[in-house]
Amino acid sequence: MTKPKLKSQVNNKKEFIIGSVIATCIAITPYLFTLWESVPSQKTWDTFFGTYASNYYEDVQILSWTLLGKIIPLLLLFIWIFTCRHWWYHIILVPIAMYIFQIIEVLNDDLRFAEENQIIYLLPVMAIMIPSIYLIRARIFNKINEANKSLEELEEEFKLSPKNFWGKVKEYF
């Protein structure tokens, strides 16, 4: 006879698998960055997806090196924001937005300089996130002054913990 699995055992196994996948993704990022070396050093690249011509960089390998230099930190920031349990984790959206704009600018062949005027696009994100984080911080310290709770207990009180990945995504949008 088999014993029915307890919910905690199933959740622990699921968390272990998810944690292992996340740790593996983080561990292989140096190898992912070296993928640019497998791209040919020429102006056009014929693949089974189609032909790509690098007009701005004039070398597909340089374009791939530049893109991977932006995509790898963006991947790590996404992992960080979806696994962070601190009250301030929403502020990680600012560097995420910055890297997304940088990737868009790198792909835009008409730009003269790759990282020009992106602060203008980041201002709305920062205008929402920075005051929000400050208000949460002020609420935490007001509660500390009024109650005898530790900072860790207050972080737990303000922490939003959705049940799954899509719940975490819905929390942001």
Side-chain angles (χ1 to χ4, degrees), residues 33-96:
F33 182 72
T34 61
L35 287 176
W36 68 271
E37 294 173 350
S38 64
V39 176
S41 181
Q42 56 194 26
K43 185 173 177 133
T44 59
W45 185 26
D46 294 321
T47 66
F48 61 91
F49 294 117
T51 302
Y52 184 81
S54 179
N55 296 323
Y56 180 74
Y57 292 96
E58 297 183 0
D59 191 343
V60 182
Q61 193 175 49
I62 293 172
L63 173 67
S64 64
W65 177 79
T66 306
L67 278 176
L68 285 171
K70 310 265 183 224
I71 292 171
I72 299 300
L74 182 64
L75 170 72
L76 293 171
L77 284 169
F78 274 124
I79 290 172
W80 188 17
I81 198 165
F82 286 119
T83 58
C84 186
R85 297 186 183 209
H86 295 285
W87 60 269
W88 50 263
Y89 70 97
H90 288 96
I91 205 69
I92 302 171
L93 287 173
V94 173
I96 286 175

Side-chain angles (χ1 to χ4, degrees), residues 53-156:
S54 179
N55 296 323
Y56 180 74
Y57 292 96
E58 297 183 0
D59 191 343
V60 182
Q61 193 175 49
I62 293 172
L63 173 67
S64 64
W65 177 79
T66 306
L67 278 176
L68 285 171
K70 310 265 183 224
I71 292 171
I72 299 300
L74 182 64
L75 170 72
L76 293 171
L77 284 169
F78 274 124
I79 290 172
W80 188 17
I81 198 165
F82 286 119
T83 58
C84 186
R85 297 186 183 209
H86 295 285
W87 60 269
W88 50 263
Y89 70 97
H90 288 96
I91 205 69
I92 302 171
L93 287 173
V94 173
I96 286 175
M98 182 183 72
Y99 273 107
I100 289 172
F101 285 122
Q102 287 178 355
I103 290 169
I104 290 169
E105 289 177 355
V106 166
L107 292 174
N108 186 357
D109 290 335
D110 296 331
L111 282 178
R112 188 168 154 200
F113 299 105
E115 296 176 359
E116 184 177 312
N117 295 329
Q118 73 184 12
I119 193 72
I120 294 170
Y121 302 112
L122 285 175
L123 282 177
V125 174
M126 291 169 47
I128 294 169
M129 297 312 302
I130 292 173
S132 300
I133 296 301
Y134 179 76
L135 290 174
I136 291 172
R137 181 186 170 279
R139 284 183 58 197
I140 287 174
F141 285 106
N142 281 343
K143 291 232 179 197
I144 286 176
N145 291 334
E146 294 173 3
N148 291 330
K149 291 184 180 179
S150 69
L151 187 58
E152 289 81 17
E153 292 169 335
L154 289 170
E155 281 185 9
E156 284 294 320

Side-chain angles (χ1 to χ4, degrees), residues 7-25 83 85:
K7 278 189 174 184
S8 63
Q9 289 175 331
V10 173
N11 285 341
N12 287 343
K13 185 176 180 182
K14 184 179 176 182
E15 288 177 8
F16 177 75
I17 291 170
I18 291 171
S20 298
V21 168
I22 290 171
T24 303
C25 288
T83 58
R85 297 186 183 209

